[in-house]
Amino acid sequence: MRKAAVETGVSLLVTLISIFGFLEALSYAGEGGLMPRVVMALAILLSAIWAVQSARTVLAGSGEVIAPNAQQLRSAAMLIVAGIALLLGIRHVGFYTSAAVIVPLLGYGLGYRNLRGLAIGTVLFLILLIAVFRLLLAVPLPPEAILTLIGL
């Protein structure tokens, strides 16, 4: 299969997801909604450019042929499953709890075996999430199931 054909499909999917993200960001009130709207608009623009470039390559009949190996397919499937798990986890368990579980599991599943590095990376990622959503955007997120369970 041609790399450009795969890239065309993926870029169109990313464009569609970015459009949905932009529409969701329109519902954010006040100044907190500005950054997500700008980021999503930029994502739409860049993925649309990517789609046009890839489509041109497909129409020209050029581009390299790719044959993904089993490890690459496993990694891609793992990323898709992790994304779905994160979406479901955010809804049912909580945003931060889901990230705290899925990020290190995904890193380990993709072959990173330094447990200290996984722990440090996860903590830094959670600090970044908290800083962005609570401090910068001031977006209220659904309560964490664990915190609700213990009465916090």
Side-chain angles (χ1 to χ4, degrees):
M1 109 178 56
R2 296 222 176 263
K3 180 180 174 186
V6 173
E7 285 188 0
T8 301
V10 171
S11 62
L12 291 173
L13 179 64
V14 170
T15 303
L16 184 63
I17 291 169
S18 299
I19 290 169
F20 285 131
F22 182 79
L23 294 174
E24 175 66 24
L26 288 175
S27 68
Y28 293 178
E31 294 176 16
L34 181 62
M35 187 177 90
R37 286 190 291 268
V38 170
V39 168
M40 287 291 99
L42 186 60
I44 292 167
L45 175 68
L46 292 175
S47 57
I49 291 169
W50 181 25
V52 168
Q53 289 175 337
S54 298
R56 271 198 231 157
T57 304
V58 167
L59 293 174
S62 60
E64 64 183 279
V65 175
I66 58 170
N69 62 35
Q71 177 61 36
Q72 291 169 323
L73 293 174
R74 256 192 315 266
S75 295
M78 197 175 306
L79 289 170
I80 291 168
V81 168
I84 292 169
L86 190 57
L87 290 173
L88 293 173
I90 288 169
R91 169 169 242 138
H92 300 290
V93 180
F95 188 73
Y96 302 114
T97 305
S98 297
V101 172
I102 292 171
V103 167
L105 285 178
L106 181 60
Y108 191 83
L110 291 174
Y112 189 72
R113 298 292 187 254
N114 181 341
L115 297 181
R116 182 185 300 169
L118 284 171
I120 291 170
T122 301
V123 168
L124 291 175
F125 181 69
L126 288 172
I127 289 170
L128 178 67
L129 285 178
I130 291 167
V132 167
F133 284 99
R134 290 213 175 160
L135 304 176
L136 183 63
L137 297 177
V139 173
L141 295 172
E144 297 288 314
I146 290 175
L147 297 178
T148 304
L149 190 64
I150 60 174
L152 293 177

